[in-house]
Amino acid sequence: QVQLVESGGGLVQAGGSLNVSCAASGDIFSFNTMAWYRQAPGKQRDLVARITSGGSTNYADSVKGRFTISRENAKNRVYLQMNSLKPEDTAVYYCYAARIVLGSLNNYWGQGTQVTVSS
């Protein structure tokens, strides 16, 4: 069974940086897509950044130019480098992975890691 475990969250001042990582059991090269979502209190869970198995990326408008998603298949990890953090980036950040198995889309989620940006 696939497990995704996030780490690296924490408290940082506005303008600072954090790098969160997601360790996946199993071979992440088999995942068509890996992504980071976030959910602030009282709000829906939104896509932050996504990376395909071919390395294509896309970002939410609110984080473009500040966040970078990357993946390291040999270590079964995906990362989110967050720079120039703002208080509105405060949320629980979730790792997400998806792959197609026998024609069906399988989704996986991590347990989340808290990122808090103080003003």
Side-chain angles (χ1 to χ4, degrees):
Q1 185 62 282
V2 173
Q3 283 191 315
L4 304 176
V5 180
E6 302 95 337
S7 61
L11 173 65
V12 65
Q13 288 189 330
S17 298
L18 276 178
N19 186 291
V20 290
S21 64
C22 173
S25 62
D27 183 1
I28 70 169
F29 191 75
S30 67
F31 292 122
N32 301 92
T33 296
M34 297 196 76
W36 288 94
Y37 284 74
R38 68 185 180 187
Q39 187 168 20
K43 296 189 176 181
Q44 66 181 21
R45 189 174 297 187
D46 290 326
L47 176 68
V48 176
R50 176 168 45 211
I51 185 167
T52 68
S53 56
S56 297
T57 59
N58 63 292
Y59 298 89
D61 287 342
S62 59
V63 307
K64 281 180 182 176
R66 300 189 297 121
F67 290 12
T68 302
I69 188 171
S70 61
R71 60 194 288 172
E72 196 171 10
N73 293 334
K75 295 186 176 180
N76 290 350
R77 286 183 176 267
V78 62
Y79 305 95
L80 185 67
Q81 176 66 41
M82 302 181 287
N83 299 327
S84 302
L85 282 160
K86 304 175 181 180
E88 52 264 43
D89 294 318
T90 295
V92 177
Y93 283 70
Y94 295 91
C95 181
Y96 167 88
R99 61 187 176 190
I100 297 174
V101 179
L102 299 177
S104 296
L105 182 65
N106 292 4
N107 300 303
Y108 306 95
W109 291 93
Q111 83 288 351
T113 186
Q114 177 70 46
V115 171
T116 303
V117 185
S118 63
S119 57

